[in-house]
Amino acid sequence: MPRIAIYLRQSKAVEGDELAIDRQRENCLARATGKGWTVDNAAIYVDNNVSASSEKVRPAYQRMIADVKARKFDVVIAWNLDRLTRRPREIEDWIDLNERYGVNLMTSEGTEPIDLSTETGRLMLRVTSSVARMEVERKGRRQKESNAQSRELGLPPTGRRAFGYSALGAGAKGVQSTRLGAGGTEYPAYGHEPIVEEAAAIRRGFDLLLAGASLGTVARAWTASGLTTTTGKAWGQNTVRGVLTNPRYAALVALPREMGTTGHRANRYDLAALTPGGWEPIVGVETWTAASEILRDPSRRKTSGAPRRWLLSGLATCAVVVEGGGVCGAPMKAGATRDKVAVYRCSASYHLARKADVADELVSHTVMARLSRSDAVELLANHEAPDRAALSAELTALQARLGNVADLVADGTLTKDQARSSVARLRGQAAELTARLTDAGKVDTLGPLIHAANIREAWAALSVDVQRAVVAALYRVEFATPGRGTRPPADDEGRRDHTRRSVALIPR
Ligand SMILES: [Zn+2]
């Protein structure tokens, strides 16, 4: 007859999921009886009003572990693993205890209780430990957040006023009155309202970035509008980055800095970790997400803030046929001739040089013509902008469901196996939604150009950075010699024509 121990725990009433000790005892005893085992009353360990995830010592639990190590028992029975412990490390410990002291762990709940003597049992234990870890992190996060209540109320971060918004009023938590925001939506009247001029600059900044402009370009645009940071400093790449990665502008509440488990900043601004705030957004969630994706791409960090005057510099390539066949392929760089004429030159060799203004004009015209065609909308990856509001709502719902999985396991609605596949499925869906939202942000930027009433004006209003991004999205641009043995004409009009015939635009 194996020697049996039973562990029972009642958690704090505030958790609201406590299971009476008596019911647990009854259930665990039934499990033992079902096997034909008897249990000594002295071998029933009880912790009352102790949370399983608490850092505090659970006296009965510790006593039982000591007894297990003294080889006093062959089997330990608990109602379920959450009753036993919610500390993932302690769950893992049971695999060691099983190996070293031969003690088996069993649960009495459900149709397929855990039995550590089987491989399936050990697998289930590990899955449970992961789910438990998730719940502990979630709970710990909630408790430790210095500003948890504000966050749950969807209040903006406190502290210095943020660029784009007026200061948050004192006692914002208690504010009940509302004000009308843009589009007639009501928002809480606790301050933190968009400042028209700054908000417009922020929107323009997001637009520029999404269209391919550098952070430096955005900084110059804001400075040109006479704007500074809220501390009165001139805009630079880092301060602009700080604004364009800040979820505040999409009315999203970030996690506090210290809560990230890895790479604080990245985690803090991970869409999956953000919750909706109650204040008026300046940009949509999809726009913010798309911008974050761009700024998170490390290749962007190398982008210099130097202005690019010429449309095709570094964008177009040399297509002169080289020895042995094939084309050169080197990027064309902007430069000037001795008599100060701007030209694009092959950056690898003396293959060719062509008039820069003529080439830019030709490419601009081609792009405008392409974008004003009735089928221009087909150019967008998604033929129409996805329903962003629906996508956002779906994502929020998914996140809530992810958060509930641990609860569903704890109350027995889901088995561990179901929980595991459920978590994997939900995560996959969330990733897909995030990708679609990102796409939606891009549609947002190219869309207005395509639907512009006057394409020429819309194009001219774009910075060269943005124009370059549009060109690159539509065409590959190559420079080649127009026909064998042609020599550049001597007269100006001849040269211009020669340049035009040298440029090839290959649709992507
Ligand atoms: Zn070349």
Side-chain angles (χ1 to χ4, degrees), residues 182-196:
T185 312
E186 286 193 4
Y187 296 100
Y190 46 46
H192 203 265
E193 298 167 19
I195 295 171
V196 176

Side-chain angles (χ1 to χ4, degrees), residues 318 320 328-330 346 348-349 351:
C318 168
V320 165
C328 165
C346 170
S349 187
H351 285 144

Side-chain angles (χ1 to χ4, degrees), residues 9 30 39-40 58 64 66 94 115-116 154 157 169 230 244 258 293 299 302 342 363 395 405 414 417 444 473 495:
R9 180 182 62 81
V39 185
D40 184 353
R58 282 163 292 151
M64 178 179 73
W94 278 93
D115 183 343
L116 258 202
T230 49
L244 300 185
E258 67 274 15
E293 294 280 323
S299 65
K302 293 178 202 136
V363 170
L395 189 61
V405 169
L414 283 185
D417 279 352
D444 227 12
R495 277 173 185 266

Side-chain angles (χ1 to χ4, degrees), residues 89-376:
R89 198 168 298 159
E90 285 182 358
I91 293 181
E92 283 288 322
D93 283 348
W94 278 93
I95 290 172
D96 292 343
L97 290 171
N98 171 255
E99 281 165 6
R100 287 176 74 178
Y101 304 100
V103 65
N104 187 14
L105 174 67
M106 295 180 103
T107 56
S108 60
E109 170 208 38
T111 48
E112 281 180 76
I114 281 183
D115 183 343
L116 258 202
S117 60
T118 67
E119 198 174 304
T120 317
R122 288 189 291 273
L123 173 68
M124 282 170 79
L125 193 75
R126 289 208 166 91
V127 171
T128 310
S129 125
S130 308
V131 174
R133 187 186 300 272
M134 197 171 84
E135 194 189 15
V136 168
E137 281 172 4
R138 194 163 60 94
K139 284 204 166 150
R141 200 161 73 205
R142 284 193 183 151
Q143 282 160 10
K144 287 176 195 165
E145 276 168 3
S146 58
N147 228 345
Q149 203 198 352
S150 300
R151 224 176 322 284
E152 267 161 32
L153 291 172
L155 286 171
T158 52
R160 187 159 41 79
R161 150 179 122 74
F163 181 64
Y165 286 108
S166 62
L168 181 66
K173 276 178 200 171
V175 170
Q176 301 290 325
S177 56
T178 58
R179 50 169 275 271
L180 279 188
T185 312
E186 286 193 4
Y187 296 100
Y190 46 46
H192 203 265
E193 298 167 19
I195 295 171
V196 176
E197 198 191 3
E198 293 181 358
I202 288 169
R203 272 183 219 107
R204 180 87 186 119
F206 274 99
D207 281 352
L208 281 169
L209 183 82
L210 292 185
S214 68
L215 292 168
T217 299
V218 178
R220 279 190 295 279
W222 288 357
T223 303
S225 311
L227 298 168
T228 65
T229 69
T230 49
T231 52
K233 293 200 180 100
W235 288 105
Q237 294 187 46
N238 287 336
T239 43
V240 169
R241 174 192 295 276
V243 169
L244 300 185
T245 53
N246 195 333
R248 179 200 297 260
Y249 297 107
L252 291 171
V253 187
L255 286 176
R257 218 162 281 243
E258 67 274 15
M259 290 318 300
T261 48
T262 51
H264 293 176
R265 214 155 238 283
N267 222 37
R268 179 172 141 84
Y269 291 165
D270 182 356
L271 189 59
L274 300 168
T275 52
W279 66 93
E280 182 171 357
I282 288 176
V283 296
V285 172
E286 63 288 342
T287 299
W288 177 81
T289 312
S292 297
E293 294 280 323
I294 288 171
L295 291 172
R296 225 179 275 174
D297 175 0
S299 65
R300 287 278 317 181
R301 304 230 163 94
K302 293 178 202 136
T303 312
S304 95
R308 293 176 188 272
R309 266 195 71 205
W310 298 100
L311 187 62
L312 304 174
S313 180
L315 196 67
T317 56
C318 168
V320 165
V321 177
V322 293
E323 236 176 286
V327 297
C328 165
M332 299 292 288
K333 293 286 183 194
T337 61
R338 256 169 299 173
D339 44 351
K340 303 260 167 36
V341 177
V343 290
Y344 290 120
R345 276 201 189 93
C346 170
S347 59
S349 187
Y350 294 107
H351 285 144
L352 46 71
R354 294 291 184 271
K355 288 175 76 72
D357 57 347
V358 178
D360 280 8
E361 199 183 289
L362 174 79
V363 170
S364 294
H365 272 106
T366 313
V367 166
M368 286 188 276
R370 180 71 189 90
L371 290 179
S372 29
R373 262 163 54 177
S374 55
D375 63 348

Side-chain angles (χ1 to χ4, degrees), residues 271 285-286 289 388 391-392 395 433-441:
L271 189 59
V285 172
E286 63 288 342
T289 312
R388 284 163 229 140
L391 286 179
S392 297
L395 189 61
L433 276 176
T434 307
R436 283 167 65 196
L437 276 167
T438 306
D439 238 16

